[in-house]
Amino acid sequence: MYRMHCETSRHYDVLLTPRVLDPDHGALAEAIGSRRALVVTDPTVDRLYGSPLITYLAQLPSVVTVHVADLSEHSKTMASVIDVCAAAQRHGLGRRDLLVAFGGGICCDVVSVAASLIRRGIPYICVPTTLVAQVDAGIALKGGVNFRGTKNYLGCFAPPHRVLLDPTLLRTVPAPELSSGLAEILKIALVLDARLFDRLRQVGSELLHSGFTSPPGAGEEVIEQSVRLMLDELSANCYEDAVLERLVDFGHTFSGRLEELSHYQLRHGEAVALDMALTCTLGVELGLLAERELMEVIGLLRELGLPTQSRLCTPDVLFEAMHSTTAHRDGALNLVVPTTIGKATFVRDPLDIPGEVVDRALARFATVTAHGLISTTGHGVPA
Amino acid sequence: MYRMHCETSRHYDVLLTPRVLDPDHGALAEAIGSRRALVVTDPTVDRLYGSPLITYLAQLPSVVTVHVADLSEHSKTMASVIDVCAAAQRHGLGRRDLLVAFGGGICCDVVSVAASLIRRGIPYICVPTTLVAQVDAGIALKGGVNFRGTKNYLGCFAPPHRVLLDPTLLRTVPAPELSSGLAEILKIALVLDARLFDRLRQVGSELLHSGFTSPPGAGEEVIEQSVRLMLDELSANCYEDAVLERLVDFGHTFSGRLEELSHYQLRHGEAVALDMALTCTLGVELGLLAERELMEVIGLLRELGLPTQSRLCTPDVLFEAMHSTTAHRDGALNLVVPTTIGKATFVRDPLDIPGEVVDRALARFATVTAHGLISTTGHGVPA
């Protein structure tokens, strides 16, 4: 009777803007313009940057309020989203007004879901304050919140209005949090760019221990390259309605389940690190990856302060995670396995990873990773 | 540094499928296919159609569960959305599995918002069971729920996977509910199609009193034409990201506030009828519409069993509604005013409707509509 065609085309800019809170820095002022805005942040960021943030916002022509929300992985829920929606309603945001996420990945997630719901979608700006958010959670379209024990069960695809990346904010990020972000950069390097992998071997450890200030320029360079590769990879399929095969899902098959089982004691990037180590080991057992390269990966993970072993890595957990990933990916496992540093392939069928391969991989995993390891979160297994 | 382009293109079919629950009718079976599905309905529809629905679904090859949700305008909230999400999670819906809304407009709204959130968006099918839902709430992309006193403050743009329209389901819809749906058809006719307006004058009353069964074929014809015009009008701007001027917003400037103030005693279509009568009267005062045509509109509204007067129509309420509409439409009022039957224009600036025009219009409104009127919901003012 009637075929309805629905098309939408949007774009947004991701800008590298060091010292975004300097009073004479125009990037955030320009992004907000004359619109009413609600800036959402969390208590930690508020303690560190609340004062310069409020000074900065006070000089804008528009009406801007800061909302400090209690955000942690445990409060990455619809309740937090509803809380932001209520604050937006109290602040009288119109359909073209703005939410601003000034915080880490959870802040960016909660704000994007809230923005997608308010008046059926209002614009939002991300100013990610952690490394994970600057290279992953805060730059793309996906927002998600946890629901009744399932990570990111509810969420949205909502392109931000703009993303402002300020590497100088990373000075105040604790080393374990930086490690977690470095895991996401390593993820990109491993499947897409051997040069970025080499660069991480050269400067990763120094970046980690200097709060991304040293060597000079290296922080910006690594972030820029990682973001560029990530967004290039996403752009052809940014609503994931074309295919469900995404190289950037590397490290994200077992990690969600590991996070859940650790009751979120394990940071996201730490779980991704474990997942990458596990997947590379599976890759060796499947004959896809050379053992020498697996050892290079394990070595770099350690240098970047990331765990490479955990009591949570059992055959049951691996099968459970592969099963739920297969459900999420519509019947295909689509496990991303590196074939060398900088290249990867997909293992589509769960049956291609039989029980004996998992057992052999876990045995190898225990051997190659069991050298003097105590992870920062206590999930490490000492040799 | 990086410009990200985000594009998505979708389409969906709206099919006229009389007797959709006949066991040998393939439309719903074909739409579900082999996917797991959760069918959401409400207690009234369950009482009327639960048994044939379950018989129909039982013969499908896929695993389908019926979830009866307590849905009314008061429960058109995020709590109901969350309830559907939890049922979907318990039922183990994967990313390509389905929600099915089998119910009225509120059911379609709640299901579309839930579907847009689950796993960041799963497909959903609408089988609208009321006239309002068949010509308006259940056929397009917009889902909305009420939030802290504001109608549809939260929601989504989510194209359905398919829409199945069965006019035979309307036999069991009470007359006041049918009137409410006829108000939405009249809305379309008034701004887009004089022929449809004439057709409503010929058959509207008979359709109303026969549960859309008589004259034969007229129900399908009127629904099909109304849906076609509505979707044609929406299709160029279905995410409302191009412009905020929509002819189909006629009757939707004051109606939301009237519904809120009546504590939802006033049905949506009844509030739209009042809004249309008010707006046409404003049109006469603004010199845009002939008084003779206003009287034709009032006459047809009455024939269709719709209210044309209410104690709630005061200057304060009108200004309040124009103010909040202007906020929702980004600083423009965009009041749709018919200039003749079948054509309309936009009054963009709220300042073009000064206080004295509103006062004069309300005085005229009281005169022209005060003839033997008792509305079905007690909001009528007797002569």
Side-chain angles (χ1 to χ4, degrees):
Chain A
M1 167 187 160
Y2 193 97
R3 172 158 292 188
M4 179 76 166
H5 292 271
C6 313
E7 278 170 23
T8 179
S9 174
R10 302 264 301 272
H11 68 261
Y12 65 92
D13 289 330
V14 180
L15 304 174
L16 202 62
T17 56
R19 290 170 299 283
V20 72
L21 292 185
D22 277 8
D24 55 350
H25 197 307
L28 183 54
E30 202 259 313
I32 294 177
S34 59
R35 289 177 278 198
R36 194 174 270 266
L38 181 77
V39 180
V40 180
T41 190
D42 64 54
T44 307
V45 176
D46 181 53
R47 183 170 50 75
L48 292 164
Y49 297 104
S51 167
L53 178 63
I54 283 168
T55 305
Y56 185 93
L57 297 172
Q59 60 171 0
L60 301 188
S62 56
V63 183
V64 183
T65 294
V66 175
H67 176 72
V68 181
D70 173 33
L71 296 170
S72 70
E73 189 70 40
H74 289 285
S75 51
K76 191 180 149 186
T77 59
M78 278 308 289
S80 295
V81 169
I82 297 293
D83 176 53
V84 170
C85 294
Q89 193 194 38
R90 283 195 304 273
H91 192 50
L93 290 197
R95 197 161 171 182
R96 302 292 192 215
D97 291 333
L98 282 166
L99 288 183
V100 181
F102 193 93
I106 293 161
C107 181
C108 295
D109 265 302
V110 166
V111 165
S112 68
V113 179
S116 82
L117 286 170
I118 295 168
R119 296 179 185 273
R120 298 194 182 89
I122 64 169
Y124 71 100
I125 293 169
C126 279
V127 189
T129 57
T130 64
L131 185 58
V132 179
Q134 289 189 2
V135 299
D136 194 84
I139 61 171
L141 289 75
K142 282 164 90 162
V145 297
N146 306 328
F147 185 67
R148 299 182 179 226
T150 310
K151 195 170 158 64
N152 291 328
Y153 188 75
L154 302 181
C156 62
F157 289 96
H161 172 70
R162 194 162 298 172
V163 179
L164 303 178
L165 302 181
D166 179 355
T168 70
L169 296 173
L170 303 180
R171 284 177 206 166
T172 50
V173 175
E177 280 295 330
L178 288 179
S179 291
S180 204
L182 284 162
E184 295 285 357
I185 299 176
L186 176 56
K187 170 193 83 175
I188 290 289
L190 262 172
V191 295
L192 285 167
D193 188 1
R195 276 195 58 236
L196 182 58
F197 186 88
D198 290 340
R199 196 71 183 122
L200 284 177
R201 292 176 78 169
Q202 291 158 8
V203 299
S205 176
E206 188 171 341
L207 285 172
L208 171 62
H209 296 107
S210 68
F212 260 62
T213 60
S214 166
E220 292 189 18
E221 173 207 333
V222 164
I223 289 171
E224 182 163 349
Q225 178 64 0
S226 181
V227 168
R228 191 177 298 279
L229 290 165
M230 171 86 167
L231 294 180
D232 267 345
E233 191 59 28
L234 294 182
S235 59
N237 181 28
C238 52
Y239 291 92
E240 297 181 26
D241 46 8
V243 288
L244 294 175
E245 288 176 5
R246 307 178 345 134
L247 282 176
V248 297
D249 281 337
F250 176 52
H252 288 71
T253 297
F254 310 113
S255 55
R257 189 69 190 125
L258 294 173
E259 280 180 85
E260 286 166 14
L261 287 172
S262 79
H263 303 286
Y264 300 103
Q265 292 299 300
L266 212 52
R267 286 181 177 80
H268 177 67
E270 292 170 339
V272 170
L274 285 169
D275 184 313
M276 293 192 290
L278 276 169
T279 305
C280 288
T281 314
L282 276 169
V284 171
E285 288 302 330
L286 290 164
L288 296 169
L289 183 70
E291 186 173 5
R292 179 185 51 76
E293 297 190 301
L294 166 64
M295 297 314 292
E296 284 180 26
V297 173
I298 302 283
L300 183 50
L301 284 170
R302 288 181 186 170
E303 263 185 61
L304 300 178
L306 289 160
T308 52
Q309 184 56 281
S310 159
R311 271 181 292 271
L312 300 172
C313 301
T314 66
D316 283 355
V317 170
L318 265 60
F319 277 109
E320 218 174 280
M322 287 197 278
H323 180 79
S324 71
T325 299
T326 304
H328 187 65
R329 293 175 190 160
D330 192 31
L333 173 61
N334 293 341
L335 183 71
V336 183
V337 183
T339 51
T340 182
I341 305 293
K343 286 202 167 44
T345 189
F346 294 93
V347 176
R348 293 178 178 81
D349 190 340
L351 297 178
D352 286 343
I353 307 181
E356 57 270 26
V357 168
V358 170
D359 291 341
R360 281 208 311 273
L362 283 173
R364 180 188 292 271
F365 186 65
T367 313
V368 298
T369 64
H371 294 293
L373 278 181
I374 309 262
S375 93
T376 48
T377 54
H379 289 277
V381 173
Chain B
M1 166 189 159
Y2 194 95
R3 172 158 292 189
M4 178 77 166
H5 291 272
C6 313
E7 280 171 23
T8 177
S9 174
R10 303 264 299 272
H11 68 261
Y12 65 92
D13 289 329
V14 180
L15 304 174
L16 202 63
T17 56
R19 290 172 298 282
V20 73
L21 292 186
D22 277 7
D24 54 351
H25 197 308
L28 183 55
E30 201 260 312
I32 294 176
S34 60
R35 290 178 277 199
R36 193 174 270 266
L38 181 77
V39 180
V40 179
T41 191
D42 62 53
T44 306
V45 175
D46 181 53
R47 184 170 49 77
L48 291 164
Y49 297 104
S51 166
L53 178 63
I54 283 167
T55 305
Y56 186 93
L57 298 172
Q59 60 173 358
L60 301 187
S62 55
V63 183
V64 183
T65 293
V66 176
H67 176 71
V68 182
D70 174 32
L71 295 170
S72 70
E73 188 70 39
H74 289 285
S75 51
K76 192 181 148 184
T77 59
M78 280 307 289
S80 295
V81 170
I82 298 293
D83 176 53
V84 170
C85 294
Q89 193 194 37
R90 282 195 304 272
H91 192 48
L93 291 196
R95 198 163 171 180
R96 302 292 191 215
D97 291 333
L98 283 166
L99 288 184
V100 181
F102 193 92
I106 293 161
C107 180
C108 295
D109 266 301
V110 166
V111 165
S112 68
V113 179
S116 82
L117 286 169
I118 295 167
R119 296 180 185 274
R120 299 193 183 89
I122 63 168
Y124 71 101
I125 294 170
C126 278
V127 189
T129 58
T130 64
L131 185 58
V132 179
Q134 289 189 3
V135 299
D136 194 84
I139 61 171
L141 289 74
K142 280 163 89 163
V145 297
N146 306 328
F147 185 65
R148 300 182 179 225
T150 309
K151 195 170 156 68
N152 292 328
Y153 188 75
L154 303 180
C156 62
F157 289 96
H161 172 71
R162 193 162 300 172
V163 179
L164 304 178
L165 303 180
D166 179 355
T168 70
L169 296 173
L170 303 179
R171 284 178 205 164
T172 51
V173 175
E177 280 294 331
L178 288 179
S179 291
S180 204
L182 283 162
E184 296 285 358
I185 300 176
L186 175 56
K187 171 193 84 174
I188 290 289
L190 261 171
V191 296
L192 285 167
D193 188 1
R195 275 193 60 235
L196 181 58
F197 186 87
D198 290 340
R199 196 71 183 123
L200 284 177
R201 292 176 79 171
Q202 291 160 7
V203 300
S205 175
E206 188 171 340
L207 285 173
L208 172 61
H209 296 106
S210 68
F212 260 64
T213 61
S214 167
E220 292 189 19
E221 173 206 332
V222 164
I223 289 171
E224 182 163 348
Q225 178 63 359
S226 181
V227 167
R228 191 177 298 280
L229 288 165
M230 171 86 166
L231 295 180
D232 268 343
E233 191 59 28
L234 294 181
S235 59
N237 181 29
C238 53
Y239 291 92
E240 297 181 26
D241 48 7
V243 288
L244 294 176
E245 288 176 4
R246 309 181 342 137
L247 283 176
V248 298
D249 280 336
F250 176 51
H252 288 71
T253 295
F254 310 114
S255 56
R257 188 71 190 125
L258 294 174
E259 280 179 85
E260 285 165 16
L261 287 171
S262 79
H263 302 286
Y264 300 102
Q265 292 300 300
L266 212 51
R267 286 182 178 79
H268 177 67
E270 291 170 340
V272 170
L274 284 169
D275 183 313
M276 292 193 290
L278 276 169
T279 304
C280 287
T281 313
L282 276 168
V284 171
E285 288 302 330
L286 291 166
L288 295 169
L289 183 69
E291 187 174 3
R292 180 184 52 76
E293 297 190 303
L294 167 63
M295 297 314 291
E296 285 182 25
V297 173
I298 301 284
L300 183 50
L301 284 169
R302 287 180 186 170
E303 265 185 59
L304 300 180
L306 288 160
T308 54
Q309 184 55 281
S310 159
R311 271 182 292 270
L312 299 173
C313 300
T314 65
D316 283 356
V317 170
L318 265 59
F319 277 109
E320 217 173 280
M322 286 196 280
H323 180 79
S324 71
T325 300
T326 304
H328 186 63
R329 291 174 192 161
D330 192 30
L333 174 61
N334 293 342
L335 183 70
V336 184
V337 183
T339 52
T340 183
I341 305 295
K343 286 202 167 43
T345 189
F346 292 93
V347 176
R348 293 180 178 79
D349 191 340
L351 298 178
D352 287 340
I353 307 181
E356 57 271 25
V357 168
V358 169
D359 290 341
R360 282 208 311 275
L362 283 173
R364 181 188 292 272
F365 186 65
T367 314
V368 300
T369 63
H371 295 294
L373 278 181
I374 311 262
S375 92
T376 48
T377 53
H379 289 276
V381 171

